[in-house]
């Protein structure tokens, strides 16, 4: 579980994307989820070459989730939001 900010502003430069790398040590089903969201947020799953494998992009503050069977290897989860201003999601959970 990770808590934090999506779209952190540094020197007034807006960052709308957060990427998290993770390694699958044994092939099988993985689940990525975002809950308790305070803004319109999406979730993407990418392989190590940067190819989109799956995404969840529901409207509003709805929770996002992806369940996917993955082979052993490195992957990236992309968390993005549509708001123009950064928002704190300290009650949100990445899992």
């Amino acid at each position: 579980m990770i808590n934090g900010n999506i779209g952190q502003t540094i020197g007034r430069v807006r960052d709308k994307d957060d990427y998290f790398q993770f390694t699958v040590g044994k092939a099988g089903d993985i689940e990525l989820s975002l809950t308790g969201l305070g803004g319109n947020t999406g979730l993407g799953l990418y392989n190590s070459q940067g190819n989109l494998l799956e995404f969840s992009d529901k409207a509003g503050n709805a929770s996002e989730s992806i369940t996917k069977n993955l082979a052993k290897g490195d992957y990236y989860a992309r968390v993005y939001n549509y708001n123009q201003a950064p928002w704190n999601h300290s009650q949100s959970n990445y899992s």
Side-chain angles (χ1 to χ4, degrees):
M1 183 182 321
I2 302 169
N3 292 318
N5 294 311
I6 296 172
Q8 185 67 38
T9 298
I10 300 173
R12 296 199 177 264
V13 175
R14 176 82 170 102
D15 172 13
K16 293 183 181 183
D17 298 287
D18 288 337
Y19 289 88
F20 300 91
Q21 180 186 18
F22 63 96
T23 301
V24 174
K26 181 180 176 183
D29 288 340
I30 61 100
E31 182 178 355
L32 303 173
S33 63
L34 298 172
T35 60
L37 299 171
N40 191 5
T41 302
L43 176 63
L45 172 63
Y46 297 81
N47 65 15
S48 60
Q49 290 78 39
N51 297 313
L52 179 65
L53 302 177
E54 191 73 52
F55 69 95
S56 176
D57 196 353
K58 298 176 184 148
N61 297 350
S63 295
E64 305 288 351
S65 66
I66 295 172
T67 300
K68 185 88 172 157
N69 189 283
L70 297 178
K72 182 177 174 180
D74 295 324
Y75 296 89
Y76 296 89
R78 175 183 170 222
V79 179
Y80 54 96
N81 88 32
Y82 295 99
N83 296 341
Q84 292 301 311
W87 53 276
N88 184 302
H89 63 102
S90 59
Q91 298 302 311
S92 299
N93 299 313
Y94 302 139
S95 59

